[in-house]
Structures are given as structure tokens and as C-alpha cells.
């Protein structure tokens, strides 16, 4: 595809190239694009509009504070999904349970969406990059029925499409429908996402490691030795590495995928399953990582092959350039 290719054109092109494409996924992805634009516009007002800033004063099912923008983004995406008929249900990090849409047209939808509407929410109030993460699966229950839990508890190997939006110095949507990873930068003057990063590949190795090192005392001995290795001086292997941690996984992942690096949120003695959610955060990013030639693991298992047992399940997560992830594994 040439210069000035839009996200819409790219989606159409990738779907038309597929046999048996009914256009439903195309419509669904357009719906995500539209909701992302709406959320982007609201995020850009954070700090200007008082009501948007600050906490909602309530917590989600995982006991975390919900920010107003979390709630706004959550509603915008869910409303957009319900307004179209391609999906029968949605599971969101901000909802207690999954939502099975009642409308008959939705019950005839063949997809479900899992979403983290605003990842990195602790960064909202301080003008630091945040993002949206989504993944799309084909339902396993019969078309025409209401979505059920088993539609959402699928292995990552079943993902049909996944992506994220980074609301940063510019807004970018990064998407894969299983044919590589492509990035589209938003031009706010015309309201269009243009293809800016065609066929993104993780560099084989890199010089960046991203981790919340404040958790060091609670890491396993293997992770501690790996972090010491990252900081050792060794000219031949280009160490010490550079430490970069934004605290918005989407943004840390995005930078590492472009520049080469590794992101880790491992288990700790305080949180043996780590912090990140398998379904909303780890699997979609693992899908994108593998599509871009990277590796995503919990330390032992390929993330995409982990069988989920509950919606808000957490999972240790290590993702990045293949040589770096393989190096880390030697320490575990
Ligand atoms: P969130 O979805 O509630 O924002 O939490 C996920 C975020 C990740 O984006 C980020 O990498 C991590 O939590 C940061 O956690 P910590 O503050 O413990 O380093
Ligand atoms: Mg999140």
C-alpha cells in the first residue's frame, strides 16, 4: 500500500484479500477506529475540563480506583460496539463481568471483543501517554444465542485481530489481523489515521529494559539476577542496558517494539500472578509481539497458549525482542 494509505483503506484491503470475508470484521474494526477518535478527543481535553480530571470515587472489581476517563472510554467503546451488530458481547477490564448484548442483531454477531479501555490510568492526570488495548475472537457459542463466558475464555491462539492505541505525543493505532503489524498515526487536522509504520518488526535485540524496579525486593532470584546482568558493565555485549519505564504498558511496549527492548511485569512475592490481566492486556500484546517477530511468555509458557479460567485473571508477563527474552529465560 502506498503513501497516504488510511486505516480504513488498509482494513478493507486486508479483508478483501481473504477468502470468505463477509465484511463483518471490517465494520467492527471501523467501529473501534471511530470510538478511538472520540476517546482521543476527550483525552486531549484532560486538564482543560475539570469534570474529566480526578477520580470517580469508586473502585472496579479489582479494588483499583477508576478514573473518570477510564469510565468515559469504557462507555464509549461499549456503546460503539452495541450500536453495530458485529459483536455479540464485550468483556472490559473496567466491568465486573462480561456484557452479552440483548439486541437480536447483536446476538447474530459472530465476534466478541475484550478491551482495556484505558491502560496506564495512573498516568492520566499527569499528561503521560496512555492507551487502549483490544482483541477480537470468533464466538464459540451458536450465532443467534446470547454470548456466554466461554466465548471470552479462549486461548490467545484463537485471536482474530488485536491492537492498541497510544494517546501520546501523537496518537497511533497499531493493529494486526494476523498479517503482520501496522501502525497508523492520527492526523487531527483531518480526523484520519494514516499508515505511518508499515509491517513493524521487533529488532532482534535492543538496549532497553522496562520494569518497575521498585518491586526488586519481591522478585524471584532469577529476575533479580537478570536485572543485575542488565546493569553490569560489559562493552562487548553493550551493557549496561538503558532503563525506560513509563508505567503505561502500551507505551512501553510500543517504544520497545520500535527500538528493540524487553518489558517485564513478573510475579512478586506480594503478587504471585503479577499485575497485568491475561485477557485484556497480555494476550493482545502477545499476539502483536509474535506478529512482529517478538516473544511473549509468563517465564515458562507461551502467553498465547495459556488456557484462561477467569475473566480478570492476572499473569506474569515478559515481552520483547526475541534475543532479549531468550536471554532472560536463561536466568529463570
Ligand atoms: P491499568 O490497566 O490499571 O492502568 O494497569 C496496568 C498498568 C500497565 O500499563 C503498567 O505497565 C503497569 O500497570 C504499571 O504498574 P506499576 O505502577 O505497578 O508499575
Ligand atoms: Mg490496563
Amino acid at each position: 500500500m502506498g503513501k497516504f494509505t488510511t486505516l480504513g483503506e488498509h482494513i478493507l484491503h486486508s479483508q478483501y484479500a481473504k477468502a470468505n470475508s463477509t465484511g463483518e470484521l471490517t465494520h467492527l474494526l471501523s467501529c473501534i477506529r471511530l470510538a478511538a477518535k472520540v476517546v482521543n478527543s476527550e483525552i486531549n481535553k484532560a486538564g482543560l475540563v475539570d469534570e474529566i480530571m480526578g477520580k470517580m470515587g469508586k473502585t472496579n472489581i479489582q479494588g483499583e480506583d477508576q478514573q473518570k476517563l477510564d469510565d468515559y472510554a469504557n462507555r464509549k467503546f461499549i456503546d460503539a460496539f452495541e450500536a453495530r451488530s458485529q459483536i455479540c458481547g464485550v468483556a472490559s477490564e473496567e466491568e465486573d463481568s462480561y456484557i452479552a448484548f440483548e439486541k437480536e442483531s447483536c446476538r447474530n454477531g459472530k465476534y466478541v471483543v475484550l478491551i482495556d479501555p484505558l491502560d496506564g490510568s495512573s498516568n492520566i492526570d499527569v499528561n503521560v501517554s496512555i492507551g487502549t488495548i483490544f482483541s477480537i475472537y470468533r464466538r464459540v457459542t451458536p450465532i443467534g444465542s446470547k454470548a456466554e463466558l466461554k466465548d471470552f475464555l479462549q486461548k490467545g491462539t484463537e485471536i482474530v485481530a488485536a491492537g492498541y492505541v497510544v494517546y501520546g505525543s501523537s496518537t497511533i493505532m497499531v493493529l494486526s489481523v494476523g498479517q503482520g503489524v501496522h501502525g497508523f498515526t492520527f492526523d487531527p487536522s483531518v480526523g484520519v489515521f494514516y499508515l505511518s509504520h508499515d509491517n513493524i518488526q521487533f529488532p532482534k535485540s535492543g538496549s532497553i529494559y522496562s520494569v518497575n524496579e521498585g518491586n526488586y525486593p519481591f522478585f524471584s532470584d532469577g529476575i533479580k539476577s537478570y536485572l543485575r546482568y542488565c546493569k553490569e558493565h560489559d562493552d562487548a555485549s553493550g551493557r549496561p542496558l538503558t532503563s525506560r519505564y513509563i508505567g503505561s504498558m502500551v507505551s512501553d511496549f510500543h517504544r520497545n517494539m520500535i527500538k528493540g527492548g524487553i518489558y517485564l511485569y513478573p510475579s512478586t512475592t506480594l503478587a504471585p500472578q503479577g499485575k497485568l490481566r491475561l485477557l485484556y492486556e497480555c494476550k493482545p500484546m502477545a499476539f502483536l509481539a509474535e506478529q512482529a517477530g517478538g516473544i511473549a511468555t509468563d517465564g515458562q509458557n507461551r502467553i498465547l497458549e495459556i488456557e484462561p479460567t477467569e475473566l480478570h485473571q492476572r499473569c506474569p508477563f515478559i515481552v520483547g525482542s526475541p534475543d532479549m527474552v531468550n536471554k532472560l529465560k536463561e536466568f529463570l
Side-chain angles (χ1 to χ4, degrees):
M1 305 223 75
K3 219 175 166 191
F4 298 119
T5 300
T6 66
L7 173 58
E9 285 164 348
H10 177 89
I11 294 169
L12 277 174
H13 188 264
S14 61
Q15 291 308 297
Y16 282 151
K18 278 188 185 168
N20 309 322
S21 172
T22 58
E24 282 175 77
L25 186 61
T26 306
H27 284 294
L28 172 46
L29 291 169
S30 311
C31 162
I32 292 176
R33 176 188 55 179
L34 177 61
K37 284 186 200 175
V38 173
V39 169
N40 178 60
S41 142
E42 204 61 24
I43 284 171
N44 287 339
K45 287 187 233 158
L48 290 173
V49 183
D50 278 344
E51 297 120 40
I52 296 294
M53 297 289 284
K55 297 189 168 96
M56 285 280 282
K58 63 176 185 176
T59 52
N60 66 13
I61 194 174
Q62 294 156 82
E64 299 154 326
D65 288 326
Q66 268 182 300
Q67 304 282 326
K68 280 189 178 179
L69 267 174
D70 289 25
D71 191 59
Y72 178 86
N74 189 42
R75 277 188 288 116
K76 285 296 159 198
F77 277 103
I78 292 175
D79 290 351
F81 294 142
E82 193 170 17
R84 309 273 177 117
S85 305
Q86 286 77 36
I87 71 162
C88 56
V90 58
S92 162
E93 189 185 298
E94 297 300 334
E95 296 288 332
D96 296 353
S97 185
Y98 67 90
I99 297 169
F101 294 133
E102 299 279 351
K103 269 182 10 189
E104 193 188 338
S105 54
C106 288
R107 279 192 268 123
N108 287 328
K110 64 178 180 199
Y111 296 106
V112 292
V113 177
L114 288 93
I115 189 157
D116 179 356
L118 267 197
D119 180 62
S121 42
S122 65
N123 283 326
I124 293 174
D125 284 355
V126 288
N127 296 58
V128 175
S129 299
I130 46 181
T132 296
I133 308 172
F134 60 89
S135 49
I136 300 168
Y137 295 78
R138 231 169 250 113
R139 69 187 298 174
V140 292
T141 50
I143 289 178
S145 64
K146 275 177 67 178
E148 295 175 34
L149 183 60
K150 61 183 172 196
D151 290 316
F152 301 94
L153 297 186
Q154 299 191 51
K155 291 211 270 191
T157 46
E158 303 306 315
I159 289 177
V160 172
Y164 60 80
V165 184
V166 179
Y167 311 99
S169 50
S170 59
T171 296
I172 185 168
M173 182 181 290
V174 173
L175 176 71
S176 178
V177 292
Q179 299 162 7
V181 176
H182 309 279
F184 303 83
T185 301
F186 187 59
D187 180 344
S189 62
V190 280
V192 171
F193 283 97
Y194 285 111
L195 179 63
S196 51
H197 297 69
D198 195 15
N199 201 19
I200 307 173
Q201 284 287 309
F202 259 103
K204 221 167 152 284
S205 191
S207 60
I208 297 171
Y209 73 105
S210 314
V211 62
N212 183 345
E213 266 195 284
N215 290 329
Y216 186 89
F218 312 118
F219 289 147
S220 68
D221 289 343
I223 295 288
K224 283 180 181 167
S225 341
Y226 174 71
L227 293 176
R228 283 196 297 272
Y229 163 87
C230 292
K231 289 182 280 203
E232 267 165 20
H233 183 193
D234 178 53
D235 288 331
S237 57
R239 285 178 291 141
L241 303 185
T242 295
S243 168
R244 289 282 182 272
Y245 188 70
I246 296 170
S248 294
M249 197 252 289
V250 254
S251 315
D252 280 310
F253 176 98
H254 184 69
R255 181 205 51 240
N256 291 353
M257 182 166 68
I258 304 286
K259 294 193 167 180
I262 184 168
Y263 172 95
L264 47 152
Y265 210 113
S267 60
T268 64
T269 45
L270 303 177
Q273 289 312 310
K275 174 184 183 189
L276 300 179
R277 294 77 172 176
L278 176 62
L279 290 171
Y280 311 112
E281 293 165 325
C282 305
K283 279 168 186 263
M285 300 314 256
F287 178 79
L288 290 160
E290 289 198 6
Q291 284 290 321
I295 297 180
T297 172
D298 67 357
Q300 278 163 349
N301 309 292
R302 181 182 170 214
I303 293 289
L304 292 184
E305 281 175 7
I306 297 175
E307 193 96 52
T309 52
E310 50 183 292
L311 277 180
H312 295 293
Q313 189 172 340
R314 294 180 193 259
C315 181
F317 192 48
I318 297 160
V319 65
S321 292
D323 287 358
M324 297 180 83
V325 176
N326 285 330
K327 185 73 198 172
L328 181 149
K329 279 185 177 168
E330 292 173 16
F331 290 83
L332 299 180

